[in-house]
Amino acid sequence: MGRVGGDFISARYYSGIADEHLNTRENVGVQDLSTMGKMDIKGPEAEALVNHVIVNDAAAMKPGQVRYSTICREDGGIMDDLTVFRLGPEHFMLVTGSVNRLKMLPWLLHHAQGRKTYVTDITAAVAFPTIQGPRSRELLKALVSDADLDSLKRWSFASGRVGETKVLISRTGVTGELGFELFVPADEATSVWDALMRTGADFGLKPYGVPAMFTLGLEKAYPAHGIDMDETHTPFHVGLDRWIKFDKGDFVGREALLKVRDKGLDERWTGLILDGDMPAATNARVLAGDEDAGVITYSDHGYSLGKVLATARLRVPFTAIGRELSIDIDGTPTRAVVAPMPFFDPEGVRLRA
């Protein structure tokens, strides 16, 4: 177990990273993500507030839809990446990072001033188990009533019941697999978790922790805030610019992001496959001969691929696919080759299962 997001504790390991990772790819896994922030936003100007702080377009959303977005500072630096849920015409929920919820609440409250809307941190009131893997739908169909999970599309949600507990079921997740996220009243979370464990025994369900979440995300090249991105980098620097909707009108950071778009980048978030079986250290330098090419942001085992993977911020001249580079790992120069991202299931077939 480990402390995260202030006063919360979350699970790091159950049966071991490799076992948890591979079981989620092969069967189905469950992770307790209750520490992630949940910000409830209601009122006549809820849409205006959300649209002002995110780079995506909240006005284009219908109730029942989910959107991924970043929230940026005025200078374009990424404060957090999150999911936006439209619960009703005047009602949204933002799901933030576990650590970043501590700064997102005052940020949202600041921008809510003068608007006919209010913001409430409901993190502790809502438990958040995520069920991921090729058998996730099969498992939930055996457990959930009052929900049509066969027709629930990715980036949408519906309500249902687990026993007597009403839950919100979202077709989202950060593993690259078919998956669903449940929002559960915290005081009923234990019974829902126990029901998952009982029903899941027939489907190969195993819980997984934070490190396995990161290795699953690494294979899919999902950037993580505080690791691959932070307030000193913009969405363009980690390939998230496709989510920026400049044509929606003004939003926080718009002018700075337009300047980055027009100027272009001198570095790019890039994938690497490493020789050997040792991951590189975070912030390890990447070399092209004797020349500095960039820095590692995250490296770990790609258990589904049997390879050691890494993401790095590299200077643009060194980002061509197939380029051979070198990283010092425990004093040994180790070959690394620039590879396409994502490393695993590049066509996203598993997500659309």
Side-chain angles (χ1 to χ4, degrees), residues 338-351:
V338 176
M341 295 196 297
F343 305 101
F344 178 79
D345 188 27
E347 302 301 322
V349 174
R350 299 170 76 93
L351 282 169

Side-chain angles (χ1 to χ4, degrees), residues 136-195:
S136 57
R137 184 190 286 119
E138 188 182 358
L139 162 58
L140 287 178
K141 285 172 66 175
L143 180 70
V144 174
S145 60
D146 301 333
D148 182 1
L149 299 180
D150 286 320
S151 63
L152 187 64
K153 295 180 179 179
R154 183 157 165 79
W155 299 112
S156 61
F157 63 89
S159 61
R161 290 187 179 276
V162 176
E164 297 302 314
T165 300
K166 188 173 182 180
V167 298
L168 186 152
I169 308 160
S170 174
R171 176 94 184 271
T172 46
V174 292
T175 62
E177 295 291 333
L178 171 69
F180 302 82
E181 297 179 322
L182 305 187
F183 295 83
V184 182
D187 57 351
E188 300 178 61
T190 301
S191 62
V192 171
W193 182 271
D194 289 346

Side-chain angles (χ1 to χ4, degrees), residues 7 84 187 274 280 303:
D7 295 327
V84 181
D187 57 351
L274 281 55
Y303 294 105

Side-chain angles (χ1 to χ4, degrees), residues 244-287:
I244 304 173
K245 306 302 181 184
F246 287 111
D247 57 356
K248 72 172 182 173
D250 191 36
F251 58 89
V252 179
R254 183 176 188 272
E255 293 306 313
L257 293 172
L258 281 170
K259 290 178 181 178
V260 175
R261 183 194 69 179
D262 295 342
K263 180 182 178 182
L265 301 175
D266 56 8
E267 66 176 26
R268 185 173 296 140
W269 193 59
T270 306
L272 300 171
I273 296 178
L274 281 55
D275 284 356
D277 60 0
M278 284 289 293
T282 298
N283 295 322
R285 303 307 306 184
V286 182
L287 300 175

Side-chain angles (χ1 to χ4, degrees), residues 50-323:
V50 175
N51 225 19
H52 180 65
V53 297
I54 70 170
V55 304
N56 210 326
D57 189 358
M61 296 176 64
K62 298 177 181 178
Q65 291 185 329
V66 189
R67 291 287 184 273
Y68 175 80
S69 185
T70 52
I71 286 185
C72 295
R73 305 187 308 187
E74 289 287 359
D75 64 2
I78 302 171
M79 295 187 68
D80 197 12
D81 68 320
L82 43 71
T83 44
V84 181
F85 290 72
R86 185 155 203 164
L87 303 176
E90 299 181 355
H91 192 187
F92 289 81
M93 177 174 62
L94 306 188
V95 179
T96 76
S98 297
V99 174
N100 289 335
R101 74 178 181 88
L102 300 173
K103 66 181 177 183
M104 290 315 307
L105 180 62
W107 182 259
L108 292 167
L109 290 171
H110 169 72
H111 288 284
Q113 292 178 12
R115 298 182 189 272
K116 296 176 181 178
T117 187
Y118 62 88
V119 179
T120 308
D121 183 351
I122 60 171
T123 302
V126 181
F128 188 25
T130 178
I131 297 92
Q132 302 285 311
R135 303 190 73 183
S136 57
R137 184 190 286 119
E138 188 182 358
L139 162 58
L140 287 178
K141 285 172 66 175
L143 180 70
V144 174
S145 60
D146 301 333
D148 182 1
L149 299 180
D150 286 320
S151 63
L152 187 64
K153 295 180 179 179
R154 183 157 165 79
W155 299 112
S156 61
F157 63 89
S159 61
R161 290 187 179 276
V162 176
E164 297 302 314
T165 300
K166 188 173 182 180
V167 298
L168 186 152
I169 308 160
S170 174
R171 176 94 184 271
T172 46
V174 292
T175 62
E177 295 291 333
L178 171 69
F180 302 82
E181 297 179 322
L182 305 187
F183 295 83
V184 182
D187 57 351
E188 300 178 61
T190 301
S191 62
V192 171
W193 182 271
D194 289 346
L196 273 168
M197 291 295 107
R198 287 194 304 271
T199 305
D202 293 332
F203 299 91
L205 177 69
K206 290 183 180 181
Y208 64 95
V210 174
M213 176 187 71
F214 281 128
T215 57
L216 290 161
L218 173 63
E219 291 184 340
K220 288 296 292 182
Y222 291 151
H225 198 278
I227 297 175
D228 303 294
M229 54 179 159
D230 53 34
E231 295 187 14
T232 67
H233 294 87
T234 74
F236 287 95
H237 288 88
V238 282
L240 298 180
D241 47 294
R242 64 187 181 278
W243 304 101
I244 304 173
K245 306 302 181 184
F246 287 111
D247 57 356
K248 72 172 182 173
D250 191 36
F251 58 89
V252 179
R254 183 176 188 272
E255 293 306 313
L257 293 172
L258 281 170
K259 290 178 181 178
V260 175
R261 183 194 69 179
D262 295 342
K263 180 182 178 182
L265 301 175
D266 56 8
E267 66 176 26
R268 185 173 296 140
W269 193 59
T270 306
L272 300 171
I273 296 178
L274 281 55
D275 284 356
D277 60 0
M278 284 289 293
T282 298
N283 295 322
R285 303 307 306 184
V286 182
L287 300 175
D290 295 328
E291 194 172 358
D292 186 17
V295 62
I296 296 293
T297 58
Y298 177 51
S299 179
D300 214 323
H301 295 276
Y303 294 105
S304 312
L305 303 168
K307 300 176 181 178
V308 176
L309 310 175
T311 51
R313 282 192 288 272
L314 301 183
R315 291 161 51 201
V316 170
F318 305 107
T319 57
I321 302 299
R323 178 68 188 258

